[in-house]
Amino acid sequence: MKRLLTPGPTPVSPEVAAAMAAPLVYHRAPAFKEVVLRVRENLRWVFQTKGEAIFLTCSGSGAMEGAVANTLNRGDLAITIRAGKFGERWANICKAYGVQTHNIDIEWGKAVTVEQVKKALDENPKARAVMVQASETSTGVAHPVKEIAALVKSRPDTLCVVDGISALGVMNLPMDEWGIDVLVGGSQKAFALPPGLAFAAVSAKAQSFMEKSDLPKFYFSFTKEIASQSKGETAWTPAISLVMGLDAALNGMKAEGLEKLFGRHKTMANATRAGVKAMGLELFAPDSPSDSVTAIKAPGIDGQAIVKDMRDRHGITIAGGQDALKGKIFRLSHMGHVDRFDVLTALAASGDVCTRLGARLDVAKGLAASEAVFNAQN
Ligand SMILES: *Cc1c(COP(=O)(O)O)cnc(C)c1O
């Protein structure tokens, strides 16, 4: 039995797989138009916005690039929060487009503080955007998006741009209520689809920035895509099968309801963390952990060996650390189409592998602590 517990891609449910396996429909046919219009409404529901929401045929990074290219201008200044691999990506995209950045560099494993963002905004009053990850997947950290959005909301010339790729469908990100201006997502995280689609939603404020933006854009023109999708069309040939899968995935999310969806993820995250600690392992980001993925310190052994043995011995694919964290941590994902027994299996197998590699752990105690979290919910 093979299990996929990486923080993207995540397992695909049989219902979604079946929807994607149906005979192809023509993307200009009336049947597909209906799907596009429904997906558009349901995306707005997930993003909790009355603003515009679109899907794009690309991976999540394409929507990140689109967020920059569609809202900013040549020579603009943006504040980025570089607390991991994906925070770096905001800064790198800006650089590629000639947008200057003021980077708030945070030690990997820590969240940015509201004070740090406030200071950066006060010192850079011309900043046109603050760009942050809701969940920094490379370190397992959640940033204080609600508070950051509140800081930006009162500044008419600054946008709050949030990478919610590993957060949408996991934690509450009420775009309109919090004042998030651009929110991006990706298909292969909590939406539990294969990779290949990205999502973006824009507030009215962001749309006023879009009207003035002079950065080059063609395939990723949000304006063109919004105009098409509001009529049930797409600007280009979309990944039709993935959109059929998205329709099924969104229907599933709607049936579960946002509150239950977030609650299920919170419980799986809590149960993972409780199990990790009780067996004698250490969380990499204990202070502000993301509910999407748990990063765990490799206990005096090579983290890459843990990843390899999980795969070779137990058929479980997990993620290791990236860049400076390579070999130092391993990451267990608990987002999307996963449940209590995926969490318990991941904990049991991690404990087994670490013990075989020489760590001294109490795996049974970890499993009991994790079970207790689940049982307390029933
Ligand atoms: C996965 C991920 C991305 C990158 O998405 P791709 O689909 O690989 O382009 C960006 N940001 C975060 C937070 C992610 O988890």
Side-chain angles (χ1 to χ4, degrees), residues 7 59-61 64 86 89 133 135 137 163 165-166 188-189:
S59 81
S61 302
M64 291 175 74
F86 296 109
R89 190 158 303 173
Q133 272 58 42
S135 161
T137 318
D163 166 0
I165 294 175
S166 68
Q188 80 276 28
K189 311 279 167 116

